[in-house]
Amino acid sequence: MLKIQNLTVQINNQVILKNLNLQVQPGSVHALMGPNGSGKSTLAYTIMGHPSCQVTTGNLIFQDQDITDLAIDKRARLGIFLAFQYPQAVPGLKVFNFLKAAYEAFASEEIVGKVETNDHKSMGVSVLEFKQILDNALVTLGLNPELIDRDLNDGFSGGEKKRLEMLQLYLLQPKIAIIDEIDSGLDVDALKTVAQVLQACKDRDPEFTIILVTHYRRILEHLKPDFVHIVAHGELVASGTEELSHKIDTAGYGLYV
Ligand code: ADP
Ligand code: MG
């Protein structure tokens, strides 16, 4: 699904990631662990195409296509999704309108049934159709419908923001989701919702692939990783199975920093 080859990334002319290699097979769950400031978010942002993350060497290959220089929106249309560690609030933008626009722009054509017009705008779904889709998703995910009428992340609790990230993921049906520290500050119930949504996406599409950035093993109790990787000072310093996350839990990152 995704090949990261020899990736070196700079932010503000400072090297943050060094010669990083990672292969992610379709349908797999990769957990990315590591101490604060080790470069996990930078890797997540670089895969998504954040303009501050300057790739100085190496390549990103997504489904056999080189996406190293591709714009963020094009990556999103290919089926790459990033759930933010710190979702932004946008006062004045209703969640419903945001989700509908995102759905029309980024969910795949098989799902939305897009029709391209002359000005290349995609014809999406009607308000009523989308309300139905959204209501179904809310019920499936057990989310509070009141969130939909509020402004995007405005005054949302930490748990509500993360639930909304999961709702976007569920609606857009990407091929790969990079989930950046969704578990920090979440209570047990919200954590279960996150794991349930990820599992629902996996059940719906066996090729759905997850890169789960996390500090703690807690979320891995709910969503079993196929591989665990440790990032320290911008390098991938260890890879293994779930066993590695147990080791981190008892011994900490001391071995790797
Ligand atoms: P993690 O997510 O593992 O905590 P980050 O990827 O956020 O780590 O950060 C990795 C390193 O990059 C840190 O040393 C951080 O200070 C640095 N960094 C991140 N963003 C910027 C930025 N915009 N400007 C300068 N340095 C940055
Ligand atoms: Mg981070």
Side-chain angles (χ1 to χ4, degrees):
M1 184 65 74
L2 180 71
K3 264 189 243 172
I4 300 171
Q5 298 172 324
N6 227 359
L7 191 75
T8 297
V9 174
Q10 293 188 353
I11 299 178
N12 293 336
N13 296 321
Q14 202 183 323
V15 176
I16 308 290
L17 299 176
K18 285 165 242 160
N19 275 325
L20 210 132
N21 289 284
L22 183 64
Q23 292 224 18
V24 180
Q25 304 299 333
S28 60
V29 178
H30 288 247
L32 213 58
M33 304 181 78
N36 272 327
S38 58
K40 304 182 298 297
S41 292
T42 303
L43 179 57
Y45 284 7
T46 303
I47 297 170
M48 197 70 238
H50 194 295
S52 307
C53 302
Q54 202 201 339
V55 176
T56 53
T57 66
N59 296 89
L60 290 166
I61 311 290
F62 177 69
Q63 292 193 317
D64 298 325
Q65 180 179 347
D66 191 327
I67 59 159
T68 316
D69 299 317
L70 207 62
I72 297 182
D73 61 315
K74 299 223 167 66
R75 296 186 201 206
R77 285 195 178 88
L78 288 178
I80 304 176
F81 179 94
L82 172 67
F84 286 109
Q85 181 172 8
Y86 304 110
Q88 285 287 315
V90 186
L93 175 60
K94 292 283 174 227
V95 170
F96 182 91
N97 294 338
F98 169 73
L99 290 176
K100 184 169 179 291
Y103 182 78
E104 289 172 336
F106 296 116
S108 74
E109 290 181 25
E110 305 96 80
I111 304 165
V112 191
K114 277 178 198 163
V115 181
E116 291 293 322
T117 56
N118 288 339
D119 62 358
H120 294 289
K121 273 197 177 150
S122 49
M123 302 272 290
V125 289
S126 72
V127 167
L128 269 180
E129 277 175 315
F130 188 64
K131 195 168 176 340
Q132 189 80 58
I133 291 165
L134 202 49
D135 285 347
N136 288 340
L138 289 168
V139 171
T140 308
L141 306 184
L143 300 183
N144 182 356
E146 279 173 22
L147 291 184
I148 300 309
D149 299 319
R150 290 168 56 183
D151 288 1
L152 186 66
N153 288 319
D154 192 23
F156 280 33
S157 72
E160 286 169 338
K161 285 182 187 170
K162 299 299 171 80
R163 284 183 159 98
L164 186 59
E165 293 292 289
M166 288 298 105
L167 176 59
Q168 291 169 48
L169 167 60
Y170 187 78
L171 284 173
L172 299 183
Q173 303 201 22
K175 300 194 174 91
I176 186 166
I178 304 144
I179 317 281
D180 193 2
E181 294 216 22
I182 196 101
D183 43 352
S184 47
L186 281 196
D187 60 33
V188 178
D189 289 334
L191 196 66
K192 274 193 187 143
T193 308
V194 167
Q196 270 166 12
V197 174
L198 293 174
Q199 191 58 51
C201 291
K202 275 170 73 67
D203 293 344
R204 182 172 64 184
D205 172 11
E207 301 230 310
F208 175 65
T209 307
I210 303 170
I211 298 180
L212 193 65
V213 176
T214 180
H215 247 351
Y216 306 107
R217 238 188 58 74
R218 213 169 46 138
I219 193 165
L220 306 179
E221 300 279 348
H222 300 282
L223 191 83
K224 296 282 173 203
D226 299 302
F227 300 97
V228 174
H229 312 277
I230 312 294
V231 183
H233 38 75
E235 293 175 76
L236 223 153
V237 292
S239 290
T241 57
E242 205 195 342
E243 189 54 34
L244 186 54
S245 66
H246 288 280
K247 209 165 127 189
I248 294 297
D249 230 24
T250 46
Y253 291 111
L255 269 176
Y256 303 103
V257 292

